[in-house]
Amino acid sequence: MDLMEKNLELIEVQKLEGHTDRVWNAAWNPVSPILASCSGDNSVRIWEQSSLSRSWSCKTVLEETHTRTVRSCSWSPSGKLLATASFDGTTAIWEDLGDEFECISTLEGHENEVKSVSWNASGSYLATCSRDKSVWIWEVLGGNEYDCASVLNGHTQDVKMVLWHPTLDVLFSCSYDNTIKVWWSEDDDGDYQCVQTLDESSNGHSSTVWAISFNAAGDKMVTCSDDLTLKIWSADISMMHSGEGYAPWTHLCTLSGYHDRTIFSTHWSSDDIIASGAGDDAIGLFVDSKQHDSVNGPSYNLLLKKEKSHEMDINSVQWSPSKESRLLASASDDGMVKIWQLETIP
Amino acid sequence: MVSGLINENPTVYERKERRVRTDSTNTDEFSVEPIDQLEIFDILFFDFAIVNIHHIRDIRDPEHPYSLEQLKVLTEDSVEVDDLKSYVRVTFTPTVEHCSMATIIGLSVRVKLMRSLPPRYKIDIRVAPGSHATEAALNKQLNDKERVAAALENPNLVEMVDECLSPSFE
């Protein structure tokens, strides 16, 4: 199925209103039709899709916990827990009890604003990062207990996002210092070290890197930056799966000229469409051109660019894990969360 | 006695006459008027009266109660605006190359514009090229939206910014 040959359009399915300040992040629950969004209004909203009407409504608001902006949220792989990272320096863990959510734990330790939180593939580890330049790894113990397993120093500036690899216990972080760092525990003893730094000399970004996303297989990743580009990277991870040691990431290609303001977010769908959200209020969608040039390697083409998708900067774009339809959530400075569907138009 | 001012003897310039806008033909209150350079300059100056450098450093002795205009930190040429593209860039010149007030000035300019312009506006703030020792670092910080948002949740910083933006006594 060649997407480039179809007449595709990003149709707005629904606009979710409720937040009273900018929305920084939106996250789809991996198992149920639930979406979490977090905001500068210090709250997290849980939106649920009605099985009858198919429309989304706000099921619950998680407030009175974080005392400052909630910057990002992330569901555990089981879908039962939600981690929320806040400028108040804490990361809260919430459990979905059906009728309501209960804050079962608060992770403290960062010296200032926490920017991002990520669960590893098995849900046994959490990672957080902060303006304090550090990345923390937390072990998930039983009985709602979380223990700090590691404090990783290396970035020289504010760390914007952390993300665990989709299949391996390898951690990635990106920063205001313009680099992406890869952290790995070779002996699997919980002693994580920085095994690679992707900087300008590795064909990396020339300004703040805001986000990272992996393809489903985990052998490619996309990063986006204040330098107005998206970069695609690849690694021979089969090498890592077979225990042959660390497989380094190398630059594959750079997508430039598509956004003229900072690109804040990017997400790689399970069916290989890369979405980008930027300060130019536009959403970009990119696909592999499938024209493998033996000299230049793979290249990516713009599938479509949705201008004025919001009235202000887009902070987050996330594809739904649902296999039924190509749904995309976007969160913006305009206080809205929007749900879009990528459809073929006749 | 060491006074501790960053810039003890700032050059003070004449304040420009406030230009009277002659758009009297437009009486429709709902019509959308394009925003131009002069309007943004006015936004920045009309109430952006006093930068009390002493006060910001916690010394309560208003020795330099001059405006950014009088210190030529901002001039009409500081403002580049494109209303159709909803874009504005303000370039300011700190009076001294190592001015540590530059962050507060930049932040205050941004806040003033955010409060005065329609939400569709994209705002870039920078120091005049060659005017500050850590120009690149300063510009990067002033234009990192997340850092600005976090800074504006800091009550002490907000107080300083509000102090810069408080109306002048005239």
Side-chain angles (χ1 to χ4, degrees):
Chain A
M1 167 194 28
D2 192 346
L3 289 166
M4 290 298 294
E5 300 196 358
K6 297 182 167 216
N7 227 355
L8 289 163
E9 186 48 74
L10 206 55
I11 310 289
E12 186 181 318
V13 168
Q14 199 176 341
K15 190 159 71 170
L16 308 179
E17 298 183 74
H19 280 299
T20 54
D21 200 304
R22 67 182 6 138
V23 189
W24 280 109
N25 194 210
W28 297 91
N29 185 288
V31 302
S32 335
I34 293 174
L35 183 68
S37 62
C38 58
S39 165
D41 64 13
N42 306 356
S43 78
V44 178
R45 279 180 177 255
I46 308 291
W47 312 85
E48 205 173 35
Q49 186 181 36
S50 150
S51 44
L52 290 171
S53 67
R54 312 296 285 159
S55 77
W56 296 79
S57 62
C58 185
K59 179 181 161 188
T60 184
V61 182
L62 311 180
E63 46 196 351
E64 316 279 301
T65 297
H66 286 302
T67 54
R68 285 183 60 180
T69 285
V70 188
R71 177 62 182 87
S72 86
C73 50
S74 176
W75 295 95
S76 65
S78 68
K80 294 203 186 72
L81 302 172
L82 179 70
T84 58
S86 168
F87 282 1
D88 65 12
T90 73
T91 302
I93 313 293
W94 306 79
E95 189 174 349
D96 185 354
L97 301 173
D99 281 346
E100 49 162 20
F101 278 71
E102 188 189 317
C103 177
I104 57 166
S105 190
T106 302
L107 312 181
E108 295 177 353
H110 279 296
E111 288 170 28
N112 46 52
E113 302 93 57
V114 189
K115 306 291 177 96
S116 172
V117 58
S118 172
W119 300 82
N120 71 339
S122 60
S124 59
Y125 282 116
L126 263 170
T128 57
C129 65
S130 160
R131 178 169 63 87
D132 67 10
K133 306 173 193 158
S134 69
V135 171
W136 287 46
I137 296 182
W138 307 80
E139 206 180 332
V140 183
L141 310 166
N144 298 341
E145 290 277 307
Y146 295 80
D147 211 24
C148 172
S150 210
V151 175
L152 308 173
N153 296 301
H155 279 297
T156 56
Q157 294 277 0
D158 179 11
V159 190
K160 298 299 196 185
M161 181 175 173
V162 273
L163 187 68
W164 286 97
H165 187 269
T167 59
L168 299 157
D169 275 346
V170 183
L171 183 64
F172 293 73
S173 59
C174 60
S175 164
Y176 185 101
D177 68 12
N178 308 348
T179 74
I180 297 138
K181 281 184 181 284
V182 187
W183 312 85
W184 184 48
S185 171
E186 184 163 7
D187 301 323
D188 208 22
D189 58 357
D191 180 25
Y192 280 78
Q193 303 293 332
C194 176
V195 289
Q196 198 179 6
T197 299
L198 302 173
D199 58 11
E200 265 192 276
S201 67
S202 356
N203 242 311
H205 291 288
S206 54
S207 189
T208 301
V209 189
W210 282 94
I212 306 167
S213 180
F214 293 94
N215 66 347
D219 64 348
K220 290 204 185 61
M221 85 176 159
V222 57
T223 56
C224 61
S225 165
D226 177 63
D227 68 9
L228 313 184
T229 74
L230 291 136
K231 285 179 183 282
I232 316 281
W233 311 80
S234 71
D236 179 8
I237 61 154
S238 58
M239 224 179 98
M240 291 202 70
H241 273 296
S242 58
E244 287 164 59
Y246 180 69
W249 289 82
T250 56
H251 173 265
L252 212 52
C253 85
T254 296
L255 306 174
S256 52
Y258 299 101
H259 288 291
D260 55 13
R261 301 286 296 176
T262 304
I263 307 173
F264 290 109
S265 176
T266 183
H267 198 228
W268 202 315
S269 80
S270 54
D271 63 347
D272 279 326
I273 305 170
I274 296 170
S276 62
D280 57 7
D281 312 346
I283 293 172
L285 298 183
F286 303 86
V287 290
D288 190 323
S289 70
K290 304 272 198 282
Q291 279 157 27
H292 284 238
D293 189 325
S294 58
V295 174
N296 296 315
S299 65
Y300 288 75
N301 293 337
L302 179 76
L303 186 61
L304 70 88
K305 188 177 179 194
K306 187 90 188 163
E307 307 264 17
K308 299 209 192 309
S309 54
H310 278 271
E311 289 168 28
M312 292 173 77
D313 291 10
I314 295 167
N315 299 317
S316 170
V317 284
Q318 293 280 304
W319 290 103
S320 160
S322 153
K323 303 288 180 197
E324 291 180 351
S325 46
R326 293 196 177 107
L327 287 184
L328 181 76
S330 61
S332 165
D333 275 357
D334 63 12
M336 304 290 157
V337 175
K338 286 193 183 183
I339 298 180
W340 310 82
Q341 180 147 317
L342 184 62
E343 283 174 15
T344 339
I345 40 178
Chain B
M1 183 197 65
V2 176
S3 78
L5 285 180
I6 292 163
N7 185 358
E8 300 217 8
N9 295 302
T11 313
V12 182
Y13 301 83
E14 282 293 311
R15 282 182 81 202
K16 237 182 168 155
E17 279 274 322
R18 288 283 172 272
R19 219 172 72 180
V20 176
R21 311 257 2 218
T22 51
D23 255 354
S24 47
T25 47
N26 193 339
T27 51
D28 179 357
E29 66 175 289
F30 292 115
S31 73
V32 177
E33 289 185 24
I35 294 167
D36 64 8
Q37 194 188 47
L38 182 65
E39 183 166 347
I40 294 185
F41 184 77
D42 282 349
I43 288 170
L44 290 174
F45 288 109
F46 191 64
D47 282 326
F48 205 145
I50 301 194
V51 175
N52 187 332
I53 297 168
H54 241 148
H55 176 79
I56 292 168
R57 299 189 81 201
D58 266 334
I59 304 164
R60 302 200 161 270
D61 176 34
E63 219 177 285
H64 295 313
Y66 300 116
S67 72
L68 295 185
E69 178 185 14
Q70 289 166 307
L71 296 171
K72 274 237 165 130
V73 175
L74 287 172
T75 67
E76 255 174 58
D77 293 332
S78 301
V79 178
E80 294 162 71
V81 61
D82 185 332
D83 193 42
L84 289 172
K85 290 192 182 154
S86 305
Y87 176 74
V88 62
R89 180 167 73 172
V90 176
T91 306
F92 69 97
T93 311
T95 57
V96 179
E97 233 187 74
H98 298 273
C99 179
S100 59
M101 291 302 105
T103 310
I104 299 290
I105 294 170
L107 203 55
S108 302
V109 170
R110 180 178 287 284
V111 171
K112 182 68 181 182
L113 291 176
M114 275 161 49
R115 289 177 184 169
S116 316
L117 294 172
R120 62 183 163 91
Y121 259 84
K122 306 299 177 186
I123 302 167
D124 282 345
I125 312 284
R126 61 170 190 165
V127 281
S131 71
H132 196 274
T134 63
E135 181 181 319
L138 189 53
N139 288 339
K140 191 172 183 179
Q141 200 176 63
L142 289 173
N143 293 292
D144 181 313
K145 181 174 81 174
E146 189 186 63
R147 294 287 283 264
V148 170
L152 295 176
E153 285 185 353
N154 177 334
N156 296 324
L157 260 172
V158 173
E159 202 186 309
M160 284 193 243
V161 166
D162 281 340
E163 189 67 40
C164 285
L165 301 180
S166 58
S168 67
F169 38 85
E170 50 177 347

